[in-house]
């Protein structure tokens, strides 16, 4: 009998197929003692397994490219952490087998991370994945991960480690559903980059039996278990209609009455550029440069290496606009050489612009590299700072840009409620604003973006968040400056219309979402978008806001 479950839709599209579960069994090796004369051989086995797993992760990264590559390379570095390896050696020296030594050393490291603050909610999943891979190799059992299947399937997992998300084959994996993870988790961002329909934060999904047919709606977050023939037909035809509508609309982003809203792409490096161009992105609205910094947690990449990566992205958009965000380290993206190790709550600590102002040499090198990368190119370079709290922050950033001789527009991200509340004051120092709605929601609702249990509060339709967007857009309009959105909110087609109605001037998102947003925007006038925005702001909850906007836009 058909039953319906509801999670959070994070990547558009419909997938209908049989369920396959991710092989996530935690392999706990037996705790047996080995004689002292076997320790050296076991230590050798452990090292070999670590090296092989690290090499495999790097190879998967090379295959995947883009943001996924950086995430996988960071995981490979985790596997080779010298302190972790020293701990494995120590445990083997006092009688552990290689597999047990690895298992226990990772457990100790995990406990350390889990007690060190919130960003680690995401990192712990990565660490467990690395441990499972090494232990599986040592035990000679199949690697945990994406199921081995020749038939297309819907993947269900507790959470998806970046290593697996990166390897999902869109022709075999029809869609995926996870029990954990929020709409702004890095798994969700990667799913959108792949263009695979996905639903997250659905506790109980793990209980759907292997082989059961499910229909997944990545837009509404609904999962129909054993859908009736009628339901399948209805979803398939809705999906076909959507695809047809998508390919019918091309060109720059605009409402049906010609109000222009440039549609830009979020990229993590040159690897994401082809998909952005294919989707018809009019430029880049968020270049997350921190992925360049994840290769080596001990030092920043050289100026030369940075120039090369920046130039590759800038060259791809002649006459286009490219908004580069300077390094956003800390919280869920810690860097050893920048991020204090002992913060009780890293999301509220020294992260983003705060780290850079503490390490002016790192900021200076990045700005110089950007300036060199843009030399002689006909691109409109804009550079913005993450986590700007007030006018003093904005001034410090603009001063640093001027001192580096950067020929670009300087901007501030609005990710902290104080920045939205005092947007006009910040705009005295910078030329544009860009709303990072992922962090803005996190800080407005005191809801960690990595935690599935609080994903209700991460919903960008929350009227309080819309109020902050409106404040920022109104301030920019009053100052004659621009205010875009580059958080995940921009990738929801209906919300994109509401954001336009609130006065936002550009929308930046993962490339796969651009056609959906373009097609939806083209169906409505600016006045309709404004009415939908007022209706959404008048609501008392995210669900009510969504329904109210939907009612206005569908002409009810
Ligand atoms: C945001 O916070 O909305 C944002 C765009 O930045 P990131 O997701 O990289 O933190
Ligand atoms: Mg952010």
């Amino acid at each position: 009998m058909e039953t319906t479950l509801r999670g959070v839709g994070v990547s558009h599209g419909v997938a209908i197929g049989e369920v396959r579960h991710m092989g996530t069994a935690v392999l706990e090796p037996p705790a047996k003692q080995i004689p002292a004369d076997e320790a050296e051989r076991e230590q050798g086995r452990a090292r070999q397994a670590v090296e092989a797993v690290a090499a495999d992760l790097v190879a998967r990264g090379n295959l995947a490219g883009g943001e996924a590559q950086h995430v996988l390379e960071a995981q490979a570095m985790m596997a080779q952490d010298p302190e972790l390896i020293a701990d494995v050696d120590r445990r083997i020296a006092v009688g552990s087998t290689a597999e047990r030594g690895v298992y226990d050393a990772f457990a100790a490291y995990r406990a350390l991370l889990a007690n060190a603050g919130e960003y680690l909610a995401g990192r712990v999943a990565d660490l467990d994945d690395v441990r499972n891979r090494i232990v599986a190799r040592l035990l000679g059992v199949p690697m945990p991960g994406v199921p081995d299947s020749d038939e297309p399937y819907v993947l269900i997992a507790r959470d998806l480690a970046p290593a697996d998300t990166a390897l999902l084959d869109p022709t075999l994996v029809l869609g995926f559903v996870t029990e954990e993870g929020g709409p702004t988790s890095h798994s969700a961002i990667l799913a959108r980059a792949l263009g695979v329909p996905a639903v997250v934060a659905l506790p109980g999904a793990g209980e759907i039996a292997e082989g059961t047919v499910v229909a997944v709606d990545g837009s509404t977050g609904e999962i129909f278990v054993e859908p009736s023939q009628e339901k399948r037909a209805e979803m398939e035809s809705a999906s076909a209609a959507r695809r047809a509508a998508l390919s019918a609309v091309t060109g720059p982003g605009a409402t049906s009455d010609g109000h222009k809203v440039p549609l830009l792409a979020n990229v993590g490096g040159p690897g994401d550029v082809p998909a952005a161009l294919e989707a018809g992105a009019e430029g880049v609205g968020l270049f997350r440069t921190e992925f360049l910094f994840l290769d080596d947690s001990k030092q920043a990449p050289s100026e030369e290496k940075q120039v090369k990566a920046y130039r590759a992205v800038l060259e791809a958009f002649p006459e286009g606009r490219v908004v580069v965000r300077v390094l956003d380290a800390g919280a869920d993206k810690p860097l050893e050489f920048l991020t204090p190790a002992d913060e009780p709550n890293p999301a509220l600590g020294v992260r983003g612009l705060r780290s850079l102002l503490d390490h002016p040499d790192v900021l200076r090198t990045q700005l110089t590299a950007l300036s060199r990368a843009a030399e002689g190119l006909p691109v409109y370079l804009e550079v913005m700072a993450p986590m700007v709290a007030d006018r003093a922050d904005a001034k410090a950033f603009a001063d640093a840009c001027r001192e580096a001789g950067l020929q670009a527009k300087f901007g501030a991200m609005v990710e902290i409620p104080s920045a939205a509340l005092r947007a006009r004051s910040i705009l005295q120092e910078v030329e544009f604003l860009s709303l990072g709605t992922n962090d803005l929601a996190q800080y407005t609702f005191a809801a960690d973006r990595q935690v599935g249990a609080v994903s209700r509060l991460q919903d960008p339709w929350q009227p309080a968040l819309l109020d902050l967007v409106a404040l920022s857009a109104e301030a920019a309009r009053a100052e004659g400056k621009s205010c875009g959105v580059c958080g995940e909110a921009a990738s929801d087609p209906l919300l994109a219309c509401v954001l336009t109605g609130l006065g936002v001037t550009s929308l930046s998102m993962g490339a796969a979402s651009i056609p959906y947003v373009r097609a939806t925007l083209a169906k409505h006038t600016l006045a309709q978008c404004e009415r939908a925005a007022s209706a959404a702001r008048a609501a008392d909850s995210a669900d009510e806001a969504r329904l109210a906007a939907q009612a206005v836009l569908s002409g009810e």
Side-chain angles (χ1 to χ4, degrees), residues 63 85 97 241 320 354 452:
L63 217 66
I85 292 177
T97 57
R354 302 165 186 183

Side-chain angles (χ1 to χ4, degrees), residues 232-556:
R232 290 174 69 141
E234 179 198 316
M235 287 178 76
E236 270 160 3
S237 80
S239 165
R242 197 151 39 182
R243 276 198 306 275
L246 287 181
S247 53
V249 187
T250 53
T255 58
S256 60
D257 54 340
H259 171 73
K260 286 200 171 20
V261 189
L263 303 179
L264 310 168
N266 290 354
V267 303
D272 293 329
V273 164
L277 291 172
E278 198 186 318
E282 296 164 60
V284 167
L286 169 63
F287 180 175
R288 288 184 163 100
T289 57
E290 52 277 7
F291 285 98
L292 272 178
F293 286 69
L294 293 179
D295 290 353
D296 183 351
S297 65
K298 301 225 167 11
Q299 58 185 7
S302 67
E303 190 177 308
E304 287 314 312
K305 186 173 173 193
Q306 292 190 49
V307 171
K308 218 166 135 211
Y310 302 149
R311 196 162 174 96
V313 174
L314 295 177
E315 272 173 347
F317 295 94
E319 309 293 333
R321 182 172 158 213
V322 175
V323 185
V324 180
R325 172 173 77 186
V326 293
L327 176 62
D328 182 21
D332 56 341
K333 295 165 274 195
L335 285 178
E336 227 173 89
F337 68 97
L338 279 186
T339 313
D342 52 355
E343 292 184 320
N345 194 345
L348 302 182
V350 181
R351 64 162 293 200
L353 178 65
R354 302 165 186 183
S355 298
L356 292 174
L357 296 179
D358 279 358
H359 294 83
D361 47 322
V362 176
L363 179 58
R364 198 175 315 114
T365 305
Q366 189 172 25
L367 295 173
T368 309
L370 274 167
S371 178
R372 284 180 52 202
E375 245 163 42
L377 293 181
V379 68
Y380 298 99
L381 175 62
E382 303 190 5
V383 180
M384 65 184 180
M387 299 291 295
V388 170
D390 59 7
R391 182 170 176 174
D393 271 354
K395 177 169 185 334
F397 176 64
D399 284 346
C401 291
R402 278 186 287 268
E403 275 160 30
L406 195 60
Q407 299 294 314
K409 276 191 178 180
F410 319 138
M413 286 189 76
V414 178
E415 301 183 281
I416 306 176
S418 61
L421 292 166
R422 302 305 305 255
R424 270 193 97 158
S425 135
I426 286 172
L427 283 165
Q428 304 313 303
E429 305 293 342
V430 292
E431 288 162 87
F432 69 94
L433 298 178
S434 180
L435 284 145
T437 46
N438 308 336
D439 276 314
L440 190 57
Q442 159 162 275
Y443 295 120
T444 302
F445 298 103
D448 187 335
R449 56 193 279 198
Q450 309 285 323
V451 175
V454 293
S455 63
R456 177 182 80 80
L457 296 168
Q458 272 288 331
D459 189 330
W461 280 93
Q462 290 276 4
L465 188 71
L466 300 180
D467 284 350
L468 293 176
V469 171
L471 270 181
S472 311
E474 280 158 16
R477 194 195 314 237
E479 294 293 328
K481 296 182 174 177
S482 65
C483 175
V485 171
C486 67
E488 295 302 306
S491 65
D492 173 336
L494 209 59
L495 187 50
C497 296
V498 166
L499 296 172
T500 301
L502 292 174
V504 156
T505 53
S506 65
L507 298 164
S508 190
M509 65 208 83
S513 300
I514 290 178
Y516 291 92
V517 170
R518 179 191 287 123
T520 308
L521 207 53
K523 278 200 261 183
H524 305 289
T525 61
L526 176 60
Q528 277 177 316
C529 293
E530 286 169 349
R531 280 201 298 280
S534 304
R537 282 183 75 188
D540 283 317
S541 71
D543 286 343
E544 275 178 30
R546 197 180 278 110
L547 288 174
Q550 223 155 22
V552 172
L553 293 175
S554 61
E556 280 169 25

Side-chain angles (χ1 to χ4, degrees), residues 1-145:
M1 202 193 68
E2 179 180 304
T3 46
T4 309
L5 304 172
R6 186 187 278 269
V8 179
V10 295
S11 185
H12 302 296
V14 164
I16 303 176
E18 286 189 11
V19 163
R20 295 278 178 281
H21 286 274
M22 190 85 155
T24 51
V26 179
L27 307 152
E28 183 170 349
K32 68 171 195 241
Q33 283 290 114
I34 54 159
D37 62 355
E38 284 182 19
E40 205 171 313
R41 191 178 57 99
E42 287 296 282
Q43 285 167 340
R45 277 207 321 125
R47 271 164 204 270
Q48 243 173 18
V50 164
E51 289 309 319
V53 165
D56 176 55
L57 288 165
V58 170
R60 283 164 176 254
N62 288 338
L63 217 66
E67 292 197 15
Q69 180 167 15
H70 297 293
V71 176
L72 289 167
E73 285 172 356
Q75 260 193 313
M77 280 178 44
M78 229 180 228
Q80 292 167 303
D81 184 290
E83 280 182 35
L84 200 60
I85 292 177
D87 191 24
V88 173
D89 278 349
R90 263 194 305 277
R91 287 170 193 273
I92 297 175
V94 296
S96 278
T97 57
E99 40 272 40
R100 188 71 205 191
V102 168
Y103 189 82
D104 289 339
F106 270 78
Y109 194 41
R110 185 187 207 278
L112 208 81
L113 290 188
N115 290 330
E118 66 170 303
Y119 89 85
L120 296 156
R123 285 285 146 138
V124 162
D126 296 359
L127 188 73
D128 287 349
D129 176 61
V130 173
R131 177 204 57 193
N132 288 349
R133 284 168 196 279
I134 302 173
V135 171
R137 180 169 284 269
L138 285 165
L139 291 174
V141 298
M143 292 288 164

